[in-house]
Every structure is written in C-alpha cells, then in structure tokens.
Amino acid sequence: MTELRKDPVADRWVIIAPDRAHRPITTSVTETGDKKGGDPSNCPFCEGFEHLTPSEVFSCRKEGSEANQPGWSLRVVPNKYPALKTEGEPALHKKGLYEKMDGIGYHEVIIESPLHSAEFSTLPVNRVAETFMAARERIRFFKRDDRITFTQFFKNHGARAGASMPHIHSQIIALPIAPKSLSEEIRHAEKKRGDLKRCVYCKIIETEIGIGDRIVFKNSRFVAYAPYAPRFAYELWITPKRHCAGFEYIDDTELSALAEIVKNVMMRINRTLDYPAYNMMLISAPFASPDAGSFHWRLELAPSISRVAGFELGAGMHINTVPPEEAARILREVEL
Amino acid sequence: MTELRKDPVADRWVIIAPDRAHRPITTSVTETGDKKGGDPSNCPFCEGFEHLTPSEVFSCRKEGSEANQPGWSLRVVPNKYPALKTEGEPALHKKGLYEKMDGIGYHEVIIESPLHSAEFSTLPVNRVAETFMAARERIRFFKRDDRITFTQFFKNHGARAGASMPHIHSQIIALPIAPKSLSEEIRHAEKKRGDLKRCVYCKIIETEIGIGDRIVFKNSRFVAYAPYAPRFAYELWITPKRHCAGFEYIDDTELSALAEIVKNVMMRINRTLDYPAYNMMLISAPFASPDAGSFHWRLELAPSISRVAGFELGAGMHINTVPPEEAARILREVEL
C-alpha cells in the first residue's frame, strides 16, 4: 500500500509509504558522509554487486559491456524500497473532507560512480556531468508518461542529511501531483513578471552579479550565490543564466558548465565546513504549469549544519545564524 | 545584528541571527533526550543557578520566595542568545527586489521544572499545566505589544529535535510578521467554512471521533489524534473541542485538561518509541487576522524518528512510512 493523502486544512499532500519502513538503514553511513563511511564489501551500489539492485533503467557504460554487469560509470535503478508504485492510474478518491490517490509514480536511484567513497568534489567534471545528464534523461522519460506532472531530483549526502546508504548516489521521485510550495512560487513569479515586465529570476541574477557580495562563483552559463534570505547556513543557489523553466531543456554545454560549478562549490563547502552532510535539490517547473514561462529553474545546496526544529516546523520559518554575505565571502575566498 | 528578510521568489521570511551562532551547544544533550542526558552540576536551568540566566519575566514560585532565587517550579527568562531583539520599531526597508526589517521581537525560554531530568510524562499534571499557563500569560503579554502580530510556542526535546540544552524547557518567539504557511491555512479555512457553513476543524474532530481509527485519547475538553495526512511517523494533533482561534483564550479548566492529555500521549509515545526526541508546536491564529474566526488552534507533536531530507526540502512534501491509523492503534493500545 502506498497513498498520496491531502491534509484538508494545511492543504498539502503527503506520501504514506509503509513498505519503505522495511528498508535497511546502513549503519555505516556516517553522520557527515565523509570518506570513513562504510564497508564496500557488501554494498549493493558497488561494481560487481549489480545483482543486488533492481534492473537498471539507464546507464553510462563502456562500449560492449552488458546491462546489470560491471563496466559502468553511472547506473539508474528503481529504488528497492520505493515510496511509489509504477503501475496504476492516479484517480482522486474523495470521502467527506478527505482526498487521496493511489501512490502512483516513480522512485529511482542514480548510482553516481562505481567508486564507493567518491564524492562530487573528487570526481572528474565529466563524471559529475553524467549525473545531471542522467537526471535530464529520466525527467524527459517521465514527462512522456501522461500520469506524471512533476519530478523531484535530490541528493542526501551523509546520515545527518537523511542518507541511508553511504555509496555516492542521488534520487528522483516522479509524481502525478505538483507540490503546493512550487505552484505558489510559480504563481508569485508570474505576478512579479507582470510588475517587472521580465523574469524575476533573471533580474535577481543581474542584481546579484552587480552587487557581488553574495556571489560565490560563476562560469559562462551558471551563477552560484548565497540567496538574499537563505533558510540554512551556507545555503547556495545555482541558477542558469539562460532563462528556462524546466531542467529537462538543459543542453550538453550547460550540463558540463553545471558539473563544473557544482564541483567547484562543493570543493569550497568541503574545505570550509570539513565535508559536511548536505542536501541538493532541483527546483524545476512541473510539466503542466500554465504560468511556467515566468519560472526559472535552480539547484539548491543546503549543508546540514543546523537542524530543522520546532520553530521551523511550527511557523514554517527558519532561523539562520550565518548572513549570506558572510557565507559567500568565506566560500569565495577559499583557495582551490 | 538581527534581521527579518523576505525571499523575493519563494515569498517567505527568514530570521538572520548571527549572534545566535555563539550559543553553547551542550554536548551532554543526548540525541533522543532520554534520562542519561546531561550533567546538572553546571546547568543554568537548574535550581540554584538562577544567576546564570537573564532575569525572569514570569515564574511560578513558593509564596515568599524572591525572583531569580530558588523556590520556583517554573521560570520564564529571555533567551540568552536571542534570535530577535526587543527594542526598536519593525519598519519595512525595501531596496529593489529585496525587503527586510530589523529583527524586532521576543525570544524567551520556559524552564518547565527545577528538576534537570524531568519530562512531561513524569511530571504531575498540575506541573505540566504550569507550562501551558505560562505560555498563555506570555502570549497575552505579547498581544499587548502593538509591534507583535504572531507568537510561536514550541518545544525541542533531545538533540535530534534541535535542543541545545538537556534541562526540560520550551520556547516562545514573538514576531512582527505572521508566517506565510499559517496565513494560507487560515485563508483556506475561511474558504472551507464558506463551503461547509461551519468550522472545518470542528467538523474534522466530529468526523474523527465518529470514525475512531485515528483517535489516540480524548478527555472532556481535548482530542488527541493522528491526522489524516501526517508528515511524520507518529505525528499527533491535540485539538480543543471548543471552537477557538487563539490559544491565549484558553481557560483554567482547559489548561488542566490540556496538561492531562499531553502527559497521557507523551507516556504512550515514550512507551512505544522508547523516549524519542520530539518537537511540540502550537499552531494558533496571529493576533491581527481578519479571517481568524474560521481558524481553530491546535498543538502538534512530532517525534523525531525520520529526518527531513532532500525530497522534503525540495518538494515541501513529506514521506511518512507509518500510516496514521496504525500509529493511532499502537498508541491507543498502550497500557498506562
């Protein structure tokens, strides 16, 4: 049983996925996800243990190597303990005040390298680019499934950031519904576009480059900066310079530039915060969003230094003890 | 420096409070906050160490005992490392796309017992009631301050739930702005009230009592239940039967009944989950909310079993592996 349920007062969806309670939490995941994490001798994400995962749905492999055999640099496999099931129709069931759907969708794992202790800051740029290419290809695949309206690509690195496996990986969840917070941001962006007569995100990038205080690094295609009102200490946003609502439209040149900037800022974060646990989240327009022309995708990076506690959960507001100008200056000044 | 800053695209406020970075994180706070936590010999929240906290603003004391001296059962003191400062005017400063205010408000700590290792499940009901009475009195006080429109009462118990001190305590933050999520819920409740011709929360309580599956415990004034779409495993909501938007209107009979039900469900949670870390959050209407008549306050209890990770941060949606019907059944069947 897996269900999508909507809270009738907070008006938000949750995924109720009891089967996921059976997934193993590898005790060898260290809190911060540093190099000491884990014994690779029985890791299902390591090369040679392909039989321990569901069959791959995408991979980057040496010419001539066979699916689900060694010879790969990246594999995408269905999550063995998925939050959603792929078969069925996402019909809405209403009973009085309560609404639910069967938990239809996809939940996949991107195994980002055969190297157990690899990390974005230590992989070559073209290997980091494979992760984003795989995400693009899977999102394009999900977009062709009429039942799916939204995908969330994300990475949990280190137990403190919610990782249950130490081997380098990220995840994609594809859903028949779009999250409320994203729909609201898009509606807000549409309104701002009306006021400004241009994309508010393009305007922000221009403003930030002009001020400079919150910029950490930029290259030909992307800007990495500490946003004006970050929820977390050392939170960074990586935004494409080209106005584009959906990550699935990223081109190959942008993929390389994105990999370069992600590797660069991860090196800075690791040097500054001593290899912290962190989350990485793609914020990209749902597939069927009427106002998506006003939206502009981004990648968010949030080191797991502070914890989400009662104030954050109650008020939905965050307390951040590191001003973004200070975080950006420290990260900008790191010698690589 | 402390500031309230608004994100121009996500349209949400954050508190930037660099001085709070200097607060000591007591390493003796255990992850779950169980009885082994902490050495009381130099705890500023213990009796006899009143000089280590700022002067109390409210207390429950033995007759004849003096402020900031032993003889108390509860003390409210300003947070020594506040997220906000009490002096100043909350003027909005706009610069281009960016909006901010000086971080005006209150940040107080309720020291809930002189006993270092006390806990809601082990304190007498009338001592638990003192916490809620103190919260009511402080909220009434903040309401008289024209600069304040919203207060958040919350409790972080155990390091995993964000507590930095092991001694039993909760906190109140009072702000010149209301959180976006709450304003939206109230707007939504107003709409539902129009459809239903009655309070949607009253209707939910009636429905839940009728179904029974998600009820954990009820008394003459309150119902404790697992909500239909909970974000967290074993999340419980405690709702007053009497329709009321603001916690500050709670009467003395309700205070006792609330303390009884909180103690009761905490005993059930501790027995089931072996004294987990947890957060408790009051969800109560802002002081100046035109639609507040449609709102109905509640107390939320969220054991910190799972972690908020990339999917939750990115999509704003939660994955919960324990259906509320199962959580409620297990908690209901605990023999006290």
Side-chain angles (χ1 to χ4, degrees):
Chain A
M1 170 258 208
T2 166
E3 282 181 356
L4 295 164
R5 292 192 184 187
K6 193 180 196 178
D7 184 277
V9 293
D11 196 31
R12 68 182 164 225
W13 289 93
V14 299
I15 304 176
I16 307 287
D19 294 344
R20 242 178 106 62
H22 306 302
R23 76 188 190 282
I25 306 294
T26 310
T27 49
S28 56
V29 185
T30 56
E31 281 293 298
T32 58
D34 66 16
K35 296 274 178 74
K36 296 178 289 296
D39 166 18
S41 67
N42 56 359
C43 170
F45 293 176
C46 273
E47 196 163 22
F49 293 84
E50 294 78 9
H51 59 285
L52 295 178
T53 65
S55 281
E56 62 197 47
V57 293
F58 183 87
S59 65
C60 301
R61 317 189 132 267
K62 277 194 202 114
E63 214 171 312
S65 70
E66 274 177 52
N68 303 309
Q69 297 294 328
W72 50 276
S73 54
L74 175 145
R75 298 177 77 215
V76 183
V77 299
N79 193 308
K80 204 168 176 178
Y81 302 90
L84 301 151
K85 55 178 185 174
T86 50
E87 277 84 40
E89 283 305 315
L92 189 68
H93 304 285
K94 280 185 99 162
K95 195 170 176 187
L97 291 165
Y98 297 138
E99 292 176 44
K100 69 176 179 182
M101 278 186 188
D102 286 346
I104 306 297
Y106 297 86
H107 187 175
E108 298 181 349
V109 178
I110 303 177
I111 306 168
E112 297 165 325
S113 167
L115 299 169
H116 185 76
S117 299
E119 218 243 297
F120 275 175
S121 68
T122 58
L123 284 174
V125 167
N126 62 349
R127 292 299 181 213
V128 178
E130 282 180 352
T131 289
F132 296 110
M133 190 266 284
R136 177 186 70 183
E137 296 311 309
R138 293 311 293 160
I139 295 173
R140 286 179 177 176
F141 172 85
F142 299 137
K143 196 172 183 172
R144 291 194 295 271
D145 185 329
D146 287 342
R147 303 170 305 165
I148 301 301
T149 58
F150 167 76
T151 64
Q152 180 65 52
F153 165 72
F154 63 101
K155 185 173 171 72
N156 303 333
H157 178 80
R160 194 162 177 166
S164 55
M165 298 289 286
H167 189 119
I168 184 171
H169 72 286
S170 52
Q171 297 178 68
I172 305 187
I173 285 180
L175 289 169
I177 47 163
K180 185 180 170 197
S181 56
L182 183 56
S183 304
E184 270 162 15
E185 182 176 328
I186 292 174
R187 203 154 42 228
H188 188 71
E190 170 73 6
K191 199 176 149 286
K192 287 261 184 181
R193 188 196 182 101
D195 300 342
L196 296 168
K197 311 285 176 224
R198 64 181 293 205
C199 163
V200 60
Y201 304 88
C202 290
K203 171 81 180 162
I204 288 170
I205 297 166
E206 192 184 285
T207 305
E208 290 298 339
I209 291 175
I211 301 172
D213 270 12
R214 285 181 290 265
I215 300 285
V216 172
F217 186 72
K218 53 186 195 281
N219 63 22
S220 60
R221 303 301 185 105
F222 289 90
V223 184
Y225 63 105
Y228 175 73
R231 291 162 296 174
F232 303 105
Y234 296 92
E235 178 178 345
L236 297 182
W237 289 12
I238 296 173
T239 307
K241 291 180 181 174
R242 174 166 76 94
H243 177 74
C244 185
F247 177 80
E248 67 272 22
Y249 297 107
I250 192 169
D251 65 32
D252 291 348
T253 312
E254 286 172 320
L255 279 179
S256 296
L258 179 61
E260 187 217 17
I261 201 166
V262 166
K263 177 175 169 150
N264 183 295
V265 300
M266 279 315 306
M267 287 167 77
R268 293 171 191 275
I269 285 174
N270 288 341
R271 203 71 67 80
T272 304
L273 303 173
D274 195 17
Y275 292 82
Y278 68 90
N279 297 109
M280 192 174 77
M281 291 80 68
L282 174 65
I283 312 292
S284 181
F287 300 142
S289 175
D291 300 328
S294 304
F295 192 67
H296 191 129
W297 72 266
R298 68 178 176 269
L299 200 62
E300 295 185 354
L301 258 166
S304 308
I305 302 174
S306 50
R307 307 212 185 197
V308 171
F311 179 69
E312 289 78 9
L313 293 176
M317 282 175 69
H318 290 252
I319 300 174
N320 181 349
T321 58
V322 184
E325 298 75 22
E326 187 184 327
R329 182 185 53 74
I330 292 168
L331 293 172
R332 195 167 55 232
E333 290 175 358
V334 169
E335 283 183 50
L336 297 182
Chain B
M1 169 257 207
T2 165
E3 283 181 356
L4 296 164
R5 292 193 184 187
K6 193 179 194 179
D7 184 277
V9 293
D11 195 31
R12 67 182 164 224
W13 290 93
V14 298
I15 303 175
I16 307 287
D19 294 343
R20 240 178 108 63
H22 306 303
R23 76 187 190 282
I25 306 293
T26 310
T27 49
S28 57
V29 185
T30 57
E31 281 293 300
T32 57
D34 66 15
K35 296 273 178 78
K36 295 180 289 296
D39 166 17
S41 67
N42 56 359
C43 170
F45 293 176
C46 274
E47 195 163 22
F49 294 84
E50 293 79 9
H51 58 286
L52 295 178
T53 65
S55 282
E56 63 197 46
V57 292
F58 183 86
S59 64
C60 301
R61 318 190 132 266
K62 276 194 202 112
E63 214 170 314
S65 70
E66 273 178 51
N68 303 308
Q69 297 295 329
W72 50 277
S73 54
L74 176 145
R75 296 177 79 215
V76 182
V77 299
N79 194 307
K80 203 167 176 178
Y81 301 91
L84 301 151
K85 55 178 184 174
T86 50
E87 277 83 41
E89 281 306 313
L92 189 68
H93 304 285
K94 281 185 98 160
K95 194 171 177 186
L97 291 165
Y98 298 138
E99 293 175 45
K100 70 175 178 183
M101 277 185 190
D102 286 346
I104 306 297
Y106 297 86
H107 187 176
E108 298 182 350
V109 178
I110 303 177
I111 307 169
E112 297 164 326
S113 167
L115 298 169
H116 185 76
S117 299
E119 219 243 296
F120 274 176
S121 68
T122 57
L123 284 174
V125 167
N126 62 347
R127 291 300 179 212
V128 177
E130 282 180 351
T131 289
F132 296 110
M133 190 266 284
R136 177 186 69 183
E137 296 310 310
R138 293 312 293 161
I139 295 173
R140 287 179 177 177
F141 172 85
F142 299 137
K143 196 172 183 172
R144 291 194 294 271
D145 185 329
D146 286 343
R147 304 169 307 166
I148 302 301
T149 59
F150 166 76
T151 64
Q152 180 66 52
F153 165 72
F154 62 101
K155 185 174 170 74
N156 303 334
H157 178 80
R160 194 163 178 165
S164 56
M165 297 289 285
H167 189 119
I168 184 170
H169 71 286
S170 52
Q171 297 178 69
I172 305 188
I173 285 181
L175 289 168
I177 48 164
K180 187 180 169 194
S181 56
L182 182 57
S183 303
E184 271 162 12
E185 181 177 328
I186 292 175
R187 204 152 44 230
H188 188 70
E190 170 73 6
K191 200 176 147 284
K192 287 262 184 181
R193 189 196 181 99
D195 299 343
L196 295 168
K197 311 285 174 223
R198 64 181 293 203
C199 163
V200 59
Y201 305 88
C202 289
K203 170 82 180 162
I204 288 170
I205 298 166
E206 190 185 285
T207 305
E208 290 298 340
I209 291 175
I211 300 171
D213 270 12
R214 285 181 289 267
I215 300 285
V216 172
F217 186 71
K218 53 185 197 283
N219 63 21
S220 60
R221 304 301 186 105
F222 289 90
V223 184
Y225 62 106
Y228 176 72
R231 289 163 297 174
F232 303 105
Y234 296 92
E235 178 178 344
L236 297 183
W237 289 11
I238 298 173
T239 307
K241 291 181 181 173
R242 173 165 76 95
H243 177 74
C244 185
F247 177 78
E248 68 271 24
Y249 298 107
I250 193 169
D251 65 32
D252 291 348
T253 312
E254 286 172 320
L255 278 180
S256 296
L258 178 60
E260 187 217 17
I261 202 165
V262 166
K263 176 173 170 152
N264 184 296
V265 300
M266 279 315 305
M267 287 167 76
R268 293 171 190 275
I269 285 174
N270 287 341
R271 203 72 66 81
T272 303
L273 303 173
D274 195 16
Y275 293 81
Y278 69 90
N279 297 110
M280 192 175 77
M281 291 81 69
L282 174 65
I283 312 293
S284 181
F287 300 143
S289 176
D291 300 328
S294 303
F295 192 66
H296 190 130
W297 71 266
R298 68 178 176 270
L299 201 62
E300 296 186 354
L301 256 167
S304 308
I305 302 175
S306 50
R307 306 212 186 197
V308 171
F311 179 68
E312 288 78 10
L313 293 176
M317 282 176 67
H318 289 253
I319 301 174
N320 180 349
T321 59
V322 183
E325 298 75 22
E326 188 182 325
R329 182 185 53 74
I330 291 167
L331 293 173
R332 196 168 54 232
E333 289 174 359
V334 169
E335 282 183 51
L336 297 183

